[in-house]
Amino acid sequence: MEMFLSIDQASRCTTCAIRHRSICDALSATEILSLNRIARSRVVPAGQMILGEGQARSVFANIVSGVVKLTKTLDDGRQHIIGLLFASDFLGRAYRAENPYFAEAATDVELCVFPTAGFERLLAEHPGLEHRLFQYTLTELDACQEWMLLLARKKAEERVASFLLMIAKRVPNMECSRVERRDEVHFVLPLSRAEISDCLGLTIETVSRQITRLKTRGVIELVNYREILIPDLARLQEAAYDAPAKVPSPKARRSVPAED
Amino acid sequence: MEMFLSIDQASRCTTCAIRHRSICDALSATEILSLNRIARSRVVPAGQMILGEGQARSVFANIVSGVVKLTKTLDDGRQHIIGLLFASDFLGRAYRAENPYFAEAATDVELCVFPTAGFERLLAEHPGLEHRLFQYTLTELDACQEWMLLLARKKAEERVASFLLMIAKRVPNMECSRVERRDEVHFVLPLSRAEISDCLGLTIETVSRQITRLKTRGVIELVNYREILIPDLARLQEAAYDAPAKVPSPKARRSVPAED
DNA sequence: CGAATTGTTGAATATTCTCAACAGAGGTGG
DNA sequence: CCACCTCTGTTGAGAATATTCAACAATTCG
């Protein structure tokens, strides 16, 4: 029995679906082995809490499949989803006693969980692991800053289009969706309208209206409430105002390149 | 001459005002020395660009004094200030060819600049430096997520109050302001109304009206347009709805702590 | 099949934005 | 030192956008 468990553990990483996209990628054989030794699989059904806001000590985990939402709440009930985690993403805030957000399974989720103490010890022992997590965190920060621009400056329709675009980019790698033809994408929304509105800083009704509007304009098609078909990704991108970064600013206040 | 420069370099870190608050804190003597060897002081006048958006290669620097604003721009001119850097903060995105934002001096700024290649080499050689920068990045991410909640869910008045509170917390450590009595704070705004509106996802006019409103209600006093006096920090905090994080959510969708 | 949940739609309302005018502050040159 | 100009900030009125409240439709679950 002990023997079987060992074999199972040893093979876990080699057969792991997210092995080469998660923070485990680019780790040395030793590091993978150390991580594997403390890892534990866990399945969390949709809607179940994974991590409480302000909860003492974080939890660390790779998302193997499914979608996890991270929410922050104002104490009059207003809330916002500050992030969505998909397969291969990493959950957990290192070096902090209190977890700053609330993590919940948006769909059924498979996790590869690492105990807090053990993980932080490995982080200290293996600079390679910390380096990888640092890079992941930088990417997360980039995404967060990009999302701030959406919340601060985009109109409701652009926000909804941006959201669908983001989902279209991340979900198709998963079992529940598929790319059919070039530029045509088909997927199942992992979130309800209420959750989408919490991502976008809008109300349920506004999200619903904008989805209807995009449908009427032919930018998207609704197979059913949760299932969406995008005939032409470029048109959605246009609606999202997902334009590449450009020169500094149109009328920057005396912005001169600073040489010295 | 060479001699004088050496002495100057050697003393730079020991006399540095931000030495124990910046990423240089918690570095070993060797690490500090290595950093010092490649560092260069630079003064940037208010309004001048430090780093272009999409510019090839980043620049790395500690902010010694002054305020730097980081902006992102949509190509129709809509823009947002994704972050403000104050004394002791770190500027620069490691491990990325293109800089994701545009950095500009909001006030006159003193920087301690590290050349790109040299800094990244030190990061690779000294895990202690990378560890410190990682921690700094995590704090930045926390702040970014907190700000998203503001952009997504707070009303104009709460946003303006939150902004003033943030400034009150960070600026008083600087030369241009001072704490006078318990709970009374007095400072000079480092940003114009236009810049404040770009931080908050509002228009200039809305910011102006909300400042007037806070003044009328006695929450703040305006010495002049740029100089603000906060008689009671607690009242401002109330107006900002800056409430501590609470239990998960008021009507969470079947949120049950997941034990296994 | 019926109840509960989730999503849509409409009408009225609230908030913020836009456009426009004006006021105050700061700088320049006579 | 003041007149003048520019830039920044304020204020008002009307318009646009998103929210709230309410009814209803579709979907899901037991």
Side-chain angles (χ1 to χ4, degrees):
Chain A
M1 192 63 175
E2 202 65 38
M3 189 63 183
F4 278 100
L5 274 172
S6 291
I7 289 172
D8 186 38
Q9 282 191 338
S11 70
R12 170 162 49 196
C13 290
T14 44
T15 62
C16 176
I18 58 158
R19 169 74 178 78
H20 297 290
R21 292 185 292 143
S22 69
I23 58 157
C24 297
D25 183 42
L27 295 186
S28 71
T30 328
E31 287 164 344
I32 283 284
L33 209 67
S34 309
L35 259 185
N36 191 9
R37 207 167 286 134
I38 64 168
R40 218 183 56 201
S41 288
R42 191 170 120 191
V43 173
V44 182
Q48 199 167 65
M49 180 174 95
I50 296 169
L51 204 56
E53 190 174 344
Q55 179 175 303
R57 300 314 303 160
S58 192
V59 159
F60 300 105
N62 277 322
I63 316 299
V64 177
S65 73
V67 179
V68 172
K69 54 177 192 171
L70 311 178
T71 61
K72 268 187 174 282
T73 309
L74 246 30
D75 59 6
D76 63 351
R78 285 180 286 182
Q79 64 176 18
H80 179 61
I81 295 180
I82 58 164
L84 291 177
L85 302 181
F86 299 88
S88 84
D89 283 341
F90 181 81
L91 168 66
R93 167 63 164 92
Y95 311 123
R96 199 171 201 257
E98 300 248 311
N99 197 62
Y101 45 71
F102 172 76
E104 186 181 329
T107 64
D108 290 348
V109 168
E110 279 178 90
L111 300 175
C112 181
V113 180
F114 310 106
T116 308
F119 187 79
E120 292 201 332
R121 201 176 324 115
L122 285 187
L123 223 41
E125 286 166 11
H126 299 279
L129 177 59
E130 183 169 63
H131 177 74
R132 189 71 185 80
L133 193 57
F134 180 28
Q135 293 210 320
Y136 176 78
T137 303
L138 282 168
T139 308
E140 239 188 328
L141 182 59
D142 289 343
C144 186
Q145 292 174 338
E146 199 68 49
W147 206 252
M148 285 210 311
L149 181 57
L150 174 147
L151 294 172
R153 292 302 181 202
K154 287 191 182 177
K155 302 233 176 261
E157 187 179 324
E158 295 170 319
R159 293 191 202 189
V160 171
S162 298
F163 173 82
L164 294 175
L165 200 59
M166 183 270 282
I167 296 292
K169 280 177 184 162
R170 300 232 41 187
V171 164
N173 304 319
M174 297 162 59
E175 62 294 325
C176 61
S177 67
R178 61 220 138 98
V179 178
E180 298 190 341
R181 281 202 316 274
R182 185 175 168 65
D183 289 340
E184 177 171 294
V185 184
H186 178 207
F187 58 85
V188 174
L189 281 175
L191 303 187
S192 69
R193 299 291 188 269
E195 291 168 321
I196 295 172
S197 69
D198 278 343
C199 277
L200 299 174
L202 299 170
T203 58
I204 298 173
E205 295 92 329
T206 301
V207 170
S208 180
R209 277 185 251 271
Q210 297 305 335
I211 287 181
T212 304
R213 199 139 170 276
L214 287 170
K215 188 178 67 179
T216 309
R217 288 182 28 200
V219 179
I220 63 173
E221 286 166 42
L222 266 73
V223 181
N224 62 48
Y225 291 154
R226 285 279 187 134
E227 218 176 323
I228 289 186
L229 183 83
I230 297 167
D232 180 5
L233 216 53
R235 285 197 62 197
L236 183 61
Q237 196 142 349
E238 223 172 278
Y241 211 95
D242 191 43
K246 277 290 170 61
V247 270
S249 81
K251 44 170 262 173
R253 298 165 262 286
R254 87 203 127 108
S255 270
V256 183
E259 311 288 346
D260 64 339
Chain B
M1 191 63 174
E2 202 64 37
M3 190 62 182
F4 278 100
L5 274 171
S6 291
I7 289 171
D8 185 41
Q9 283 192 337
S11 70
R12 171 162 49 195
C13 290
T14 43
T15 61
C16 176
I18 57 157
R19 168 75 177 79
H20 296 290
R21 292 185 291 141
S22 69
I23 59 157
C24 298
D25 183 43
L27 295 186
S28 71
T30 327
E31 287 163 343
I32 284 284
L33 210 65
S34 310
L35 258 186
N36 191 9
R37 207 167 286 134
I38 64 168
R40 218 182 57 197
S41 287
R42 190 169 121 191
V43 173
V44 182
Q48 199 168 66
M49 180 175 96
I50 297 169
L51 203 56
E53 191 174 343
Q55 180 175 304
R57 299 317 301 163
S58 192
V59 160
F60 300 104
N62 277 323
I63 317 297
V64 177
S65 72
V67 180
V68 172
K69 56 177 191 171
L70 310 178
T71 61
K72 267 185 175 283
T73 310
L74 246 30
D75 60 5
D76 63 351
R78 285 180 286 181
Q79 65 176 16
H80 179 59
I81 295 180
I82 57 165
L84 291 177
L85 302 181
F86 299 89
S88 85
D89 282 341
F90 181 81
L91 168 65
R93 165 63 162 93
Y95 311 124
R96 200 171 200 256
E98 301 247 311
N99 197 61
Y101 44 70
F102 172 76
E104 185 182 330
T107 64
D108 290 347
V109 168
E110 279 179 90
L111 300 175
C112 181
V113 180
F114 309 106
T116 308
F119 187 77
E120 292 201 332
R121 200 174 327 113
L122 286 186
L123 269 186
E125 286 165 9
H126 299 279
L129 177 59
E130 182 169 64
H131 177 74
R132 189 71 185 76
L133 193 57
F134 180 27
Q135 292 209 321
Y136 175 78
T137 303
L138 283 168
T139 308
E140 240 187 327
L141 182 59
D142 289 344
C144 186
Q145 292 174 339
E146 200 68 50
W147 205 253
M148 285 210 310
L149 181 59
L150 173 147
L151 294 172
R153 294 300 182 202
K154 286 191 182 178
K155 301 237 176 256
E157 187 179 323
E158 294 169 320
R159 293 191 201 188
V160 171
S162 299
F163 174 82
L164 294 174
L165 200 60
M166 184 268 284
I167 296 293
K169 280 178 185 163
R170 300 233 39 190
V171 164
N173 304 318
M174 299 163 56
E175 63 292 330
C176 62
S177 68
R178 60 221 139 95
V179 178
E180 299 191 339
R181 284 202 314 274
R182 185 175 167 66
D183 288 339
E184 177 172 294
V185 184
H186 178 207
F187 58 86
V188 174
L189 281 175
L191 303 187
S192 67
R193 299 291 188 269
E195 292 168 322
I196 296 173
S197 68
D198 278 343
C199 277
L200 299 174
L202 299 169
T203 57
I204 299 173
E205 295 93 329
T206 301
V207 169
S208 180
R209 277 185 251 270
Q210 296 307 332
I211 288 181
T212 304
R213 199 140 172 275
L214 287 170
K215 188 179 66 179
T216 310
R217 287 181 29 198
V219 179
I220 63 172
E221 286 167 42
L222 265 74
V223 181
N224 61 47
Y225 291 155
R226 284 279 187 135
E227 221 177 319
I228 290 187
L229 183 84
I230 297 167
D232 181 3
L233 216 52
R235 284 198 62 200
L236 183 62
Q237 197 140 352
E238 222 171 279
Y241 210 96
D242 192 44
K246 279 288 170 61
V247 271
S249 81
K251 46 170 262 176
R253 297 166 261 288
R254 83 205 129 107
S255 272
V256 183
E259 312 287 347
D260 63 338

